Amino acid sequence: MEQSLGKIILFTDILGFAYDTRNPTVQFEGMLKQLDLFLMVKNLSSKYANIISFTFSDTVVAVSDDNEQIFNFAKELFRQAWDKNILLRGAIASGTFYDLRNEPSLTNAPKNFITMPIIGDGYTKAAQMERTKTIKGCRLFIDLAINIPLSHRKN
């Protein structure tokens, strides 16, 4: 299993997606939001080649060792989503990163088996930060252990 330390992980998802998928009157709109989000991530991934990104359900995960790239990726993703009336809530955290895509015990798995390619404490921290119930709304939480690039700091 390939492990890298000091990775920066973005974890984000669509606000209200669970409601959209349970409510028949807006269920189709929820699926369109999901598709739009997937296309945004696909396009951003081609722009940010040193970021590993993946989507599942209404969730986006992006991983890199470059703070500047993760912040730019997050900023563009949130801006593009906002322009399409898709509200995101996310977190950026640092920590360990395990890439399971080439794990020998999983590469021989049946074609109908899909594993999540990335695990580690950085992913878990970002997911927990995103799911905080103390603050509502469209937000991007940032782990205090991360050095925020100067170009992203408010004066």
Side-chain angles (χ1 to χ4, degrees):
M1 182 178 336
E2 184 179 322
Q3 175 186 3
S4 296
L5 299 175
K7 295 293 184 179
I8 309 299
I9 296 98
L10 166 68
F11 180 98
T12 187
D13 61 20
I14 299 172
L15 281 174
F17 186 76
Y19 171 81
D20 287 353
T21 57
R22 288 191 307 259
N23 184 337
T25 58
V26 292
Q27 194 171 44
F28 185 69
E29 290 174 31
M31 290 187 300
L32 289 178
K33 286 180 185 178
Q34 184 182 25
L35 180 59
D36 280 342
L37 186 63
F38 289 172
L39 293 174
M40 284 178 228
V41 172
K42 177 184 165 272
N43 292 335
L44 284 173
S45 294
S46 64
K47 181 177 179 179
Y48 295 97
N50 66 340
I51 290 178
I52 296 171
S53 62
F54 66 96
T55 59
F56 59 96
S57 184
D58 68 323
T59 300
V60 175
V61 177
V63 179
S64 180
D65 55 2
D66 185 331
N67 290 10
E68 185 80 27
Q69 291 288 300
I70 284 289
F71 276 87
N72 287 337
F73 184 95
K75 184 169 64 173
E76 285 193 54
L77 179 63
F78 271 69
R79 184 174 293 131
Q80 288 178 22
W82 180 268
D83 289 347
K84 290 191 169 262
N85 295 317
I86 300 171
L87 300 179
L88 299 178
R89 180 181 172 100
I92 297 176
S94 62
T96 57
F97 159 85
Y98 300 94
D99 186 346
L100 300 178
R101 290 174 298 168
N102 297 316
E103 177 65 26
S105 61
L106 298 173
T107 54
N108 297 328
K111 295 218 184 286
N112 62 342
F113 174 77
I114 299 171
T115 186
M116 204 162 100
I118 301 167
I119 60 171
D121 71 331
Y123 172 87
T124 305
K125 278 195 290 188
Q128 287 173 337
M129 288 169 59
E130 185 275 333
R131 289 191 172 98
T132 183
K133 301 295 184 204
T134 58
I135 300 173
K136 305 280 185 207
C138 182
R139 299 266 196 273
L140 180 62
F141 300 96
I142 301 170
D143 185 354
L144 294 175
I146 296 176
N147 291 325
I148 300 172
L150 290 175
S151 61
H152 296 280
R153 294 182 186 189
K154 286 190 170 188
N155 295 330

